[in-house]
Amino acid sequence: SEGHKLQGCQLTMRMPPVVASRLRATDVRHFAGDSTFHQVARAVCTADAAIARKELPECWAMAERIHDEFWRSEPPRRVVDVAAGHGLLGWFLLALCYQARAPLPVVYAVDERMPSSAGKIRDSFGEAFPRLRAQHRYIVGDAR
């Protein structure tokens, strides 16, 4: 199976080699585990938003690093994800807080335009993690 690298670090998680270059609803079968990663991967696939497969492990690794390195004692009350694109980083951070039973921050995903995939991701995560939906807000605008 194919490994992914982030800033020179080998990630411990592997993507199934049969997953196409874009994640679709049919790929949900590759993420049948109970881990938080598999839960968020199923939410991304269920959204059927054609997210590039490489974004899943890269964004997950970044969310884990932020969560583990900077939020050891407790998460901040607010998080701003600038140039958010689909908004995955914010959703992943919320899922990690939820898993750790930590207080949930409010995530503001900011970008100059909201891609249609962001709405699909919001709906899918809202269904998979109902408590998280109210904590993630997308703002269309210039972050300057």
Side-chain angles (χ1 to χ4, degrees):
S1 69
E2 178 182 359
H4 294 273
K5 292 184 185 245
L6 178 68
Q7 296 178 348
C9 299
Q10 182 69 28
L11 302 180
T12 57
M13 164 254 316
R14 305 266 186 213
M15 289 289 289
V18 293
V19 175
S21 64
R22 300 237 171 236
L23 294 169
R24 294 292 192 177
T26 55
D27 294 317
V28 77
R29 70 187 184 278
H30 301 297
F31 304 101
D34 292 329
S35 70
T36 304
F37 172 72
H38 277 223
Q39 291 173 6
V40 299
R42 285 193 300 269
V44 171
C45 292
T46 301
D48 206 23
I51 303 297
R53 109 182 197 165
K54 73 178 193 70
E55 288 191 42
L56 184 62
E58 289 174 357
C59 193
W60 181 253
M62 183 57 69
E64 280 189 317
R65 185 157 196 183
I66 291 167
H67 187 267
D68 295 345
E69 293 290 325
F70 301 108
W71 297 1
R72 283 192 181 136
S73 58
E74 67 179 74
R77 291 184 10 213
R78 285 179 291 285
V79 174
V80 180
D81 179 7
V82 179
H86 314 293
L88 285 180
L89 180 61
W91 286 112
F92 289 2
L93 288 168
L94 285 170
L96 285 167
C97 287
Y98 182 76
Q99 169 204 10
R101 293 184 169 85
L104 296 174
V106 175
V107 173
Y108 297 94
V110 181
D111 210 324
E112 290 181 340
R113 69 174 194 84
M114 180 176 156
S116 61
S117 58
K120 293 175 182 180
I121 294 288
R122 177 200 58 225
D123 294 344
S124 184
F125 269 83
E127 190 173 311
F129 301 92
R131 284 194 51 218
L132 303 186
R133 187 174 188 144
Q135 302 304 118
H136 193 281
R137 299 171 185 152
Y138 207 102
I139 299 171
V140 175
D142 190 337
R144 289 182 265 167

